């Protein structure tokens, strides 16, 4: 499997446009209703989760860190590899930092310094990944946060 295209239909009582994707998805009544996918440009398959159907195991595997690592091993042309951290998105990275603050506290002045920046970067990344437009303000925010975080890490390792 080289390319996995997915589309989901969801429900949440939270207004996505007003509150953003994280509050929408973290709502107690959030639900994935339909999961559509196509493998390597093949026929589209739709799984009706609301009616109790299940996503095939090989598709779940392709979406997990271990599945991505297996796929990565088969793509030797990919020059950048790493540990499981390589496969995390911004929100996952924020959770790793938050749950292991004792390890990261020497690199950042506080959790309130790093976590909101990663959450904002995650929202921008998700807009881009889902073919939405980000404006100049969001683009500049990404650049600024990236530079601020790198500078903070650099300053903390120079001590």
């Amino acid at each position: 499997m080289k390319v996995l295209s997915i589309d989901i239909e969801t429900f949440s009582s939270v207004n996505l446009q007003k509150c953003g994707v994280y509050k929408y998805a973290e709502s107690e009544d959030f639900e994935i209703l339909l999961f559509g996918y196509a493998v390597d440009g093949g026929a589209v398959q739709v799984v009706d989760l609301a009616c109790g159907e299940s996503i095939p195991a090989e598709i779940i595997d392709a979406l997990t860190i271990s599945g991505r690592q297996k796929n990565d091993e088969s793509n030797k042309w990919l020059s950048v590899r790493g540990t499981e951290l390589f496969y995390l998105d911004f929100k996952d990275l924020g959770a790793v930092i938050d749950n292991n603050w004792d390890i990261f506290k020497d690199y950042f002045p506080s959790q309130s310094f790093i976590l909101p920046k990663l959450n904002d970067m995650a929202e921008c990344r998700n807009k881009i990944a889902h073919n939405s437009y980000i404006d100049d303000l969001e683009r500049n925010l990404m650049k600024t946060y990236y530079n601020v975080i790198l500078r903070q890490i650099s300053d903390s390792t120079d001590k």
Side-chain angles (χ1 to χ4, degrees):
M1 177 182 320
K2 298 259 186 218
V3 177
L4 175 62
S5 303
I6 63 171
D7 183 36
I8 59 173
E9 296 300 323
T10 62
F11 170 80
S12 175
S13 61
V14 173
N15 185 312
L16 178 61
Q17 291 179 327
K18 287 184 181 178
C19 297
V21 69
Y22 292 111
K23 287 185 181 178
Y24 176 88
E26 290 174 347
S27 170
E28 287 185 22
D29 63 355
F30 174 81
E31 182 179 8
I32 299 175
L33 305 171
L34 298 172
F35 182 90
Y37 68 94
V39 177
D40 295 329
V44 173
Q45 305 295 318
V46 177
V47 179
D48 191 341
L49 298 169
C51 288
E53 293 180 11
S54 298
I55 299 170
E58 64 271 13
I59 302 301
I60 296 291
D61 190 47
L63 296 171
T64 63
I65 289 174
S66 62
R68 286 184 248 168
Q69 286 174 321
K70 282 186 234 171
N71 188 46
D72 193 18
E73 287 302 315
S74 68
N75 293 318
K76 297 299 182 188
W77 51 266
L78 185 61
S79 61
V80 181
R81 288 192 180 87
T83 64
E84 288 183 351
L85 290 177
F86 176 77
Y87 300 92
L88 297 177
D89 63 22
F90 289 114
K91 187 162 180 153
D92 292 335
L93 181 58
V96 168
I97 291 171
D98 191 31
N99 293 329
N100 297 282
W101 183 245
D102 286 343
I103 296 169
F104 291 95
K105 67 183 178 188
D106 294 334
Y107 298 98
F108 304 109
S110 67
Q111 288 167 299
S112 62
F113 168 85
I114 188 64
L115 298 178
K117 290 174 179 61
L118 291 175
N119 285 336
D120 287 347
M121 292 173 79
E123 289 202 26
C124 288
R125 178 259 173 224
N126 288 339
K127 283 183 178 180
I128 294 166
H130 298 287
N131 299 320
S132 292
Y133 174 78
I134 63 168
D135 59 24
D136 288 338
L137 178 66
E138 291 168 313
R139 200 171 7 269
N140 289 332
L141 180 74
M142 291 287 283
K143 289 178 189 176
T144 300
Y145 282 175
Y146 173 79
N147 289 322
V148 166
I149 291 168
L150 284 183
R151 190 174 329 115
Q152 179 61 40
I153 292 170
S154 176
D155 290 350
S156 67
T157 57
D158 290 342
K159 293 180 183 177

